[in-house]
């Protein structure tokens, strides 16, 4: 007798096997009971014949959903069954009789589902999303690996703020005062490029975001690349190549899971470099023509991004933002000092920003000025300023939000389903 997984059934036809899993669904018709079993690798139908189970049939027939079982039986090819196979049971061991599962066929509101996230995770849509997430992460890592980037794990506890001081989570760090949960690994990547050339990090990042939107988490995963001797344009070329690669590979790999989500793949198949590039000024023109009265110098909001991305069927870079809307480290445009050499990449179909990136300020004096102008304490940045004292080079990088990218690929309306246990302003349970 061989223990196996449902995914291995094509090699097990007509063999007697053992599988272990959960009852995802069931129905019975007099002499037969059909259990839909989920084992973590797939779904199959198990047929339990009343005549073979005189003592236990009545219990099996009424097994509550999500009960766990071990089934022994024969694998039979059956094109009409979900997955193409069924198991004719010869032995059923009930491991645990489940309490009544709170998530059923009826519609549940998001609050209920999020409160029950630990249980919601085992339902078909959520399983599909987690598998797509896994594949996306794998392709991201492969891209960096095959393009000669070295992984640098940046710290989560930091004493230097990388982005906006208003969204820092701070903690008391022994006798050293305040430390923060990392908002970005970028500053540390900038240190690593001088030894390693092209580097990346991929880890959880934290923002005490007060915004309660469909695009904001307080804990999310970010992939950041940093490249020595790359200018702004080379940075964008790399980003569009990277995004095309991860989208095409993920949708090819996970077509089945995307079908569970009823994602239309046609718009995603078009995601190929080159992407569109417009300036911040052009973006403002578009918004003004669409009835907005946004003023030069304001950052674009989520709704503004939605308006712009609906006009393009590929991602669009918005370049050259006003310096005052962006982080202190971005390189001032020598031709236009009120702007910085940066771009946000907006995903189409209304999804909005998935990448923020820029060339970095490599001039010590301008950077120092920028740090003080932003009200930051230069002492905490002394190590970072050293990078402009010892072999400073032009360099650039970017950060891609994993959950925003996944929300787009999966075609979801809210990013909360793309992370196993979402953390948002009003939610840290379970
Ligand atoms: O634009 P951001 O803030 O850029 C940085 O952190 C840079 N240091 C990156 C770099 O150049 N190395 O964030 C990058 C991306 C955003 O485009 C977005 O996709 C995602 O991170 N992001 C969030 N995702 C979910 N919830 C939030 N609160 C997010 N904030 C940013
Ligand atoms: Mg940004």
């Amino acid at each position: 007798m061989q223990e196996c997984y449902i995914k291995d059934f094509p090699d097990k036809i007509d063999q007697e096997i053992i599988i272990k899993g959960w009852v995802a669904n069931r129905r019975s018709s007099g002499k037969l009971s059909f259990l839909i079993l989920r084992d973590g690798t797939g779904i199959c139908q198990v047929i339990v014949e009343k005549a073979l189970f005189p003592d236990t049939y009545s219990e099996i027939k009424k097994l509550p959903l999500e009960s766990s079982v071990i089934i022994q039986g024969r694998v039979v090819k059956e094109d009409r069954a979900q997955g193409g196979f069924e198991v004719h049971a010869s032995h059923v061991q009930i491991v645990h009789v489940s309490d009544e599962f709170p998530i059923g066929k009826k519609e549940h509101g998001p609050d209920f589902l999020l409160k029950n996230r630990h249980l919601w995770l085992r339902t078909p849509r959520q399983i599909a999303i987690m598998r797509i997430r896994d594949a996306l992460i794998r392709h991201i890592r492969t891209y960096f690996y095959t393009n000669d980037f070295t992984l640098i794990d940046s710290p989560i506890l930091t004493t230097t703020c990388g982005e906006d001081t208003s969204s820092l989570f701070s903690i008391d760090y022994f006798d050293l005062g305040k430390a923060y949960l990392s908002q970005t690994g970028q500053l540390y990547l900038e240190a690593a490029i001088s030894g390693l050339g092209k580097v990346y990090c991929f880890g959880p990042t934290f923002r005490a975001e007060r915004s309660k939107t469909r695009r904001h988490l307080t804990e999310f995963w970010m992939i950041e690349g940093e490249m020595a001797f790359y200018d702004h344009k080379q940075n964008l070329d790399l980003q569009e190549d990277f995004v095309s690669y991860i989208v095409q590979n993920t949708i090819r790999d996970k077509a089945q899971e995307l079908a569970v989500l009823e994602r239309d793949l046609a718009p995603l198949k078009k995601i190929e470099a080159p992407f569109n590039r417009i300036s911040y000024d052009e973006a403002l023109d578009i918004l003004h023509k669409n009835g907005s009265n946004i003023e030069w110098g304001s950052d674009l909001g989520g709704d503004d991004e939605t308006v712009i991305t609906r006009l393009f069927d590929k991602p669009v870079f918005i370049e050259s933002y006003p310096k005052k809307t962006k982080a202190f480290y971005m390189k001032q445009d020598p031709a236009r000092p009120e702007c910085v050499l940066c771009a946000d990449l907006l995903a189409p179909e209304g999804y909005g920003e998935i990448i923020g990136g820029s060339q970095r300020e490599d001039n010590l004096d301008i950077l120092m000025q920028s740090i003080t102008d932003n009200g930051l304490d230069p002492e905490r940045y002394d190590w970072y300023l050293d990078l402009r004292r010892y072999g400073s080079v032009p360099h650039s990088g970017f950060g891609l939000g994993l959950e925003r990218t996944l929300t787009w690929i999966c075609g979801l309306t809210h990013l909360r389903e793309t992370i196993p246990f979402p953390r948002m302003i009003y939610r840290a349970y379970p």
Side-chain angles (χ1 to χ4, degrees):
M1 194 76 44
Q2 231 189 342
E3 199 177 310
C4 79
Y5 287 111
I6 293 170
K7 74 168 174 53
D8 300 325
F9 279 2
D11 300 327
K12 305 286 175 194
I13 298 171
D14 289 331
Q15 295 180 32
E16 190 82 3
I17 50 89
I18 292 173
I19 48 172
K20 302 175 172 177
W22 295 261
V23 178
N25 217 335
R26 63 164 168 72
R27 65 191 164 85
S28 36
S29 64
K31 296 191 174 74
L32 295 176
S33 201
F34 302 90
L35 305 180
I36 304 298
L37 197 79
R38 181 187 74 237
D39 80 337
T41 73
I43 291 263
C44 80
Q45 172 166 286
V46 176
I47 300 181
V48 182
E49 233 180 292
K50 185 177 182 181
L52 298 178
F53 296 85
D55 304 330
T56 49
Y57 187 76
S58 57
E59 193 184 2
I60 295 170
K61 198 176 113 180
K62 286 193 303 235
L63 263 186
L65 297 189
E66 294 302 321
S67 293
S68 42
V69 292
I70 298 177
I71 306 282
Q72 183 180 319
R74 190 163 52 87
V75 177
V76 175
K77 187 147 178 45
E78 173 51 72
D79 292 334
R80 286 169 302 175
Q82 193 180 353
F85 297 92
E86 57 190 23
V87 171
H88 293 201
S90 54
H91 188 85
V92 175
Q93 181 190 338
I94 299 168
V95 178
H96 179 248
V97 177
S98 178
D99 285 358
E100 194 186 336
F101 200 62
I103 302 176
K105 287 203 179 81
K106 73 173 171 93
E107 287 278 324
H108 298 287
D111 268 346
F112 178 84
L113 290 170
L114 287 165
K115 205 169 117 215
N116 286 287
R117 183 62 173 164
H118 51 299
L119 303 177
W120 189 25
L121 266 183
R122 44 173 117 170
T123 60
R125 271 177 62 85
Q126 302 308 312
I127 291 173
I129 296 169
M130 289 306 128
R131 287 205 200 286
I132 299 165
R133 179 180 169 110
D134 170 65
L136 177 61
I137 291 174
R138 200 149 20 84
H139 293 302
I140 287 168
R141 290 198 184 277
T142 305
Y143 182 87
F144 284 116
Y145 178 65
T146 53
N147 284 282
D148 303 315
F149 281 73
T150 301
L151 173 69
I152 288 294
D153 294 311
S154 53
I156 286 176
L157 292 172
T158 71
T159 48
T160 337
C161 165
E163 298 293 325
D164 176 9
T165 48
S166 68
S167 64
L168 282 173
F169 279 110
S170 67
I171 53 167
D172 294 324
Y173 197 82
F174 305 102
D175 296 334
L176 298 183
K178 291 273 179 240
Y180 312 111
L181 296 182
S182 176
Q183 297 173 306
T184 169
Q186 177 195 324
L187 307 191
Y188 298 95
L189 292 186
E190 287 186 62
I193 56 165
S194 305
L196 294 157
K198 293 195 285 186
V199 295
Y200 78 102
C201 65
F202 186 9
T205 37
F206 304 87
R207 306 263 170 113
E209 299 273 12
R210 297 249 149 227
S211 21
K212 197 182 161 204
T213 78
R214 60 194 177 88
R215 292 174 177 159
H216 288 93
L217 293 165
T218 53
E219 176 179 319
F220 63 97
W221 284 66
M222 182 158 45
I223 301 93
E224 296 179 85
E226 194 71 27
M227 299 80 67
F229 294 105
Y230 266 54
D231 65 13
H232 169 66
K233 182 177 174 303
Q234 290 169 299
N235 193 18
L236 301 200
D237 293 347
L238 181 100
Q239 289 169 41
E240 62 189 13
D241 188 53
F242 168 61
V243 171
S244 308
Y245 176 91
I246 60 176
V247 170
Q248 292 315 321
N249 280 283
T250 303
I251 66 173
R252 195 198 58 229
D253 249 25
K254 294 289 146 197
Q256 221 176 316
E257 285 77 4
L258 288 158
V260 172
L261 304 177
E262 297 174 4
R263 176 59 159 130
D264 177 9
L265 295 187
L268 292 175
K269 287 186 177 151
K270 291 187 201 150
I271 307 307
E272 254 183 74
F275 296 166
N276 306 288
R277 298 180 185 190
I278 64 171
S279 67
Y280 170 87
D281 292 358
E282 287 169 307
L284 249 53
D285 284 345
I286 294 174
L287 292 172
H288 291 154
K289 284 190 188 118
N290 281 273
S292 160
N293 48 16
I294 183 169
E295 283 173 26
W296 197 92
S298 312
D299 204 357
L300 304 187
D303 293 341
D304 301 323
E305 292 177 0
T306 302
V307 169
I308 293 164
T309 65
R310 293 219 187 278
L311 303 175
F312 300 94
D313 63 358
K314 279 196 204 185
V316 52
F317 286 108
I318 303 191
E319 299 178 80
S320 197
Y321 279 72
K323 186 172 162 69
K324 62 178 176 186
T325 63
K326 291 292 183 189
F328 71 93
Y329 53 72
M330 294 192 180
K331 186 170 176 61
Q332 189 173 307
D333 185 346
R336 213 183 152 194
E338 72 279 17
C339 292
V340 281
L341 295 173
C342 74
D344 282 354
L345 180 65
L346 312 188
E349 301 175 78
Y351 281 96
E353 180 189 339
I354 54 168
I355 289 185
S358 66
Q359 188 166 339
R360 318 306 190 187
E361 187 55 75
D362 49 348
N363 178 291
L364 179 63
D365 298 329
I366 300 179
L367 184 57
M368 192 101 85
Q369 187 61 51
S370 197
I371 286 172
T372 34
D373 287 351
N374 277 273
L376 303 169
D377 172 8
E379 235 174 73
R380 288 199 171 209
Y381 292 84
D382 200 41
W383 70 268
Y384 184 67
L385 292 163
D386 266 354
L387 308 176
R388 278 72 179 167
R389 295 186 181 109
Y390 301 100
S392 187
V393 298
H395 63 288
S396 303
F398 65 93
L400 169 128
L402 182 73
E403 289 78 17
R404 296 237 188 126
T405 307
L406 193 57
T407 305
W408 165 44
I409 293 177
C410 292
L412 307 175
T413 50
H414 197 298
L415 90 177
R416 63 191 163 211
E417 285 178 76
T418 60
I419 187 163
F421 292 95
R423 267 76 182 102
M424 290 169 288
I425 180 165
Y426 294 118
R427 191 167 304 279
Y429 173 97

